[in-house]
Amino acid sequence: MSEAAEYRPPLADYFDDLEKRYGDQFNFDRLSLEELDTIERLARDAIDNDPRVSTVEKKNLTPLLTLVDMQKRKRSGSRH
């Protein structure tokens, strides 16, 4: 297997950690703001800066950023 095929962006490893931490209880409503910020940072880095993340993967990460934003707005009570 090539190095590119074995590559996992930090976001994938972070999701693995979250799934281990929360188990069956994993969902975005349970995540702390710090965890949401980390997901956002890692997703943006994968989209904007990581040349090993494919164009298709980058497009597939866009809804994740939307979900994180929605979760943050929900918590802040913002309706904008």
Side-chain angles (χ1 to χ4, degrees):
M1 193 180 291
S2 72
E3 182 180 328
E6 294 176 20
Y7 176 70
R8 286 176 47 92
L11 179 62
D13 292 333
Y14 189 67
F15 265 103
D16 287 350
D17 290 343
L18 290 173
E19 289 175 349
K20 286 177 191 170
R21 190 175 319 150
Y22 290 101
D24 290 341
Q25 301 299 312
F26 177 83
N27 69 58
F28 278 80
D29 288 328
R30 294 184 59 101
L31 298 179
S32 70
L33 285 175
E34 182 179 329
E35 290 165 332
L36 290 170
D37 286 342
T38 300
I39 291 170
E40 181 178 25
R41 178 179 51 79
L42 292 173
R44 289 193 188 284
D45 187 56
I47 292 167
D48 297 336
N49 302 318
D50 195 333
R52 293 175 287 185
V53 175
S54 73
T55 302
V56 170
E57 291 170 317
K58 290 174 189 252
K59 286 182 181 181
N60 289 339
L61 286 172
T62 302
L64 176 62
L65 291 174
T66 301
L67 180 59
V68 168
D69 184 57
M70 288 171 54
Q71 198 54 237
K72 287 180 173 184
R73 287 178 189 215
K74 178 176 161 182
R75 293 176 190 198
S76 71
S78 173
R79 296 181 185 212
H80 310 302

